[in-house]
Amino acid sequence: MNSEEIFALTENFIAPTYKRFPVAFSRGAGVKLWDAEGNEYLDCLAGIAVCNLGHCHPRVSAAIAAQASQLMHVSNLYHIEFQARLAKILCELSFADKVFFCNSGAEANEAAIKLARRYGHEVLGEGAKRIITMHRSFHGRTMATITATGQKKVQTGYQPLLEGFDYVPFNDIEAVAAAITEKTCAVLVEPVQGEGGVILPAVDYLNRLRGLCDERKILLILDEVQTGVGRTGTFFAHQHSAIVPDIMTAAKALGNGFPIGAMLASDRVMHYFGPGSHGSTFGGNPLASAAALATLETLRDEKIVDRVIQTGTFLKVGLERLKQQFPEIIGDIRGLGLMFGIDLKDVPVAEVVGACLERRLLVGSAGDNTLRFTPPLIIDKSEIETMLQILTEVLKDVKSGQP
Ligand SMILES: *Cc1c(COP(=O)(O)O)cnc(C)c1O
């Protein structure tokens, strides 16, 4: 099918929940994508922080192909070798003792919310079910996770929302302290806010949150759905600090594009999820687990995460140079590892994203008016230079009023 035919088919048969750019990709390799006509694109979004090893990493593709003809699915009523091996490596890479598998970030957060409520119920007392979340957070699109999300735009039209969430500004430790009551069981926070606009935690914020949760005997839940799996230069973003959470969620890059989510916890907490307390038909099935295991083993064996900081610094220097060149367009630049946001002044981010796409560069948007970069972690310096070159041309056009 050619692109025009694909667009028409989408228009006719796909629910209009996304405003799609006029492009349909048919092939990917590393940092490159090709559309139906064979045009080549440079992907600096990676499916929004999903394809951290790049598109169709041979090791992941081979693991999926092998498992697809060996055994795709059995129920969680039975033991699944790759699921158990995947859980073991996730525990080795994190604070966790046990893992629950599901299929997406929202589902992982659902599991975390359920576990925290269960813990509150069993440990803190009947009514201790409330969870504190942050303004501008993003936790998913299910009913519980849009309620947890501190952004009106994802909640509009879906009331009544779930009971039991309280919202405070991100990076405001006093506000959290003031919001905790005897009804609170947990605080849920992204270590770096992604969809909110790539907002970094203040120095010591996570440490102080951990201290506060310990003092008030409530759980700290970290949503590492976007920041996890090497994105920020440590395997999980909170590992830049000295703290560990009680519960953590991961998804996006976990299967390098194969859908899988995970909710990780210490034994002390996971212990409250007994047989029958939660479940998932597909969660951690043989195919998904084989994909994720190959992803994690590749990241670990090839020491991919070790070079994220260096590549990220190179990108940051380039972006700062761009800011000097276009001070009237570029505002604040924020980032950690290979997760970057650039605030745009006056010019709408959608216009810049569209102009980049016309020049065959994929970037994203976040927050109110922030350009977002989450390239594959395997991106090299020459590819970053190409990206900066294209961005320079786009900003020149924007400046002269002809994007
Ligand atoms: C993307 C995202 C989610 C939702 O993940 P889905 O797989 O789309 O359900 C949750 N939390 C954060 C921080 C995310 O970035």
Side-chain angles (χ1 to χ4, degrees):
M1 259 186 191
N2 68 35
S3 291
E4 291 302 329
E5 288 166 333
I6 299 169
F7 302 163
L9 213 52
T10 305
E11 174 77 19
N12 285 334
F13 295 106
I14 298 293
T17 57
Y18 281 90
K19 188 176 178 320
R20 291 170 201 270
F21 290 100
V23 62
F25 298 108
S26 57
R27 193 161 68 84
V31 186
K32 304 236 161 78
L33 282 168
W34 289 269
D35 68 13
E37 280 69 39
N39 297 307
E40 185 181 295
Y41 292 72
L42 184 64
D43 185 4
C44 288
L45 193 58
I48 315 192
V50 167
C51 304
N52 282 7
L53 289 172
H55 293 282
C56 299
H57 190 285
R59 213 166 140 184
V60 179
S61 295
I64 292 171
Q67 194 60 37
S69 49
Q70 175 97 16
L71 179 66
M72 267 199 257
H73 180 81
V74 289
S75 163
N76 278 308
L77 292 169
Y78 313 107
H79 292 265
I80 298 170
E81 177 189 336
F82 278 143
Q83 183 187 123
R85 284 170 57 185
L86 174 62
K88 178 169 184 274
I89 189 171
L90 273 171
C91 290
E92 285 165 1
L93 290 165
S94 73
F95 72 97
D97 300 313
K98 296 282 191 300
V99 187
F100 172 84
F101 288 108
C102 50
N103 312 289
S104 68
E107 274 184 67
N109 286 328
E110 284 275 345
I113 290 164
K114 285 178 76 174
L115 180 60
R117 284 190 168 190
R118 193 107 184 178
Y119 178 89
H121 180 80
E122 304 269 346
V123 179
L124 304 173
E126 281 274 306
K129 302 278 184 64
R130 301 191 72 83
I131 298 175
I132 296 170
T133 68
M134 309 300 154
H135 295 166
R136 304 176 73 96
S137 57
F138 183 79
H139 300 296
R141 297 292 198 149
T142 62
M143 283 307 301
T145 57
I146 62 168
T147 308
T149 294
Q151 297 192 53
K152 281 280 166 284
K153 69 177 182 202
V154 308
Q155 301 172 339
T156 307
Y158 300 116
Q159 288 80 2
L161 300 174
L162 210 66
E163 272 294 300
F165 288 85
D166 299 300
Y167 310 91
V168 299
F170 185 63
N171 270 335
D172 185 343
I173 201 79
E174 311 306 329
V176 180
I180 297 172
T181 70
E182 72 284 0
K183 302 277 186 222
T184 307
C185 66
V187 175
L188 166 60
V189 63
E190 297 156 85
V192 177
Q193 288 192 323
E195 304 304 305
V198 191
I199 318 287
L200 299 178
V203 176
D204 233 28
Y205 178 62
L206 292 177
N207 286 329
R208 293 181 69 194
L209 263 185
R210 177 71 273 179
L212 192 57
C213 290
D214 288 342
E215 191 185 306
R216 308 292 289 267
K217 298 194 166 46
I218 60 173
L219 300 176
L220 177 62
I221 308 171
L222 294 182
D223 179 346
E224 292 244 20
V225 168
Q226 185 161 157
T227 53
V229 196
R231 174 54 53 192
T232 70
T234 48
F235 216 88
F236 293 100
H238 73 272
Q239 292 166 341
H240 288 286
S241 75
I243 64 123
V244 297
D246 300 296
I247 301 175
M248 178 179 78
T249 55
K252 286 200 166 86
L254 194 51
N256 204 51
F258 199 96
I260 181 167
M263 188 273 288
L264 299 82
S266 61
D267 269 331
R268 180 179 76 86
V269 178
M270 195 70 99
H271 149 79
Y272 293 97
F273 247 8
S277 56
H278 194 43
S280 167
T281 295
F282 292 126
N285 88 1
L287 193 56
S289 295
L293 185 63
T295 302
L296 296 186
E297 285 179 346
T298 305
L299 281 162
R300 188 168 69 175
D301 296 351
E302 296 183 12
K303 302 198 185 335
I304 306 270
V305 182
D306 293 356
R307 58 173 132 121
V308 167
I309 293 285
Q310 212 191 348
T311 318
T313 303
F314 185 77
L315 173 57
K316 182 159 195 193
V317 169
L319 293 176
E320 298 286 357
R321 224 183 306 124
L322 218 56
K323 177 176 166 155
Q324 279 170 13
Q325 203 177 339
F326 301 98
E328 67 283 30
I329 303 175
I330 297 180
D332 208 15
I333 297 174
R334 297 175 299 273
L336 189 62
L338 276 168
M339 181 174 178
F340 276 96
I342 302 182
D343 286 347
L344 298 180
K345 303 182 194 165
D346 299 330
V347 34
V349 65
E351 192 180 297
V352 175
V353 173
C356 287
L357 187 67
E358 271 172 31
R359 291 181 184 269
R360 311 228 164 107
L361 168 67
L362 271 62
V363 292
S365 60
D368 296 333
N369 205 39
T370 302
L371 202 56
R372 168 165 45 173
F373 302 87
T374 51
L377 307 183
I378 54 152
I379 195 168
D380 65 26
K381 288 186 178 174
S382 76
E383 288 159 336
I384 288 177
E385 269 162 2
T386 305
M387 184 213 89
L388 291 166
Q389 190 53 44
I390 297 172
L391 205 57
T392 306
E393 287 160 20
V394 165
L395 294 178
K396 268 185 197 155
D397 285 353
V398 167
K399 193 173 164 181
S400 64
Q402 46 171 352

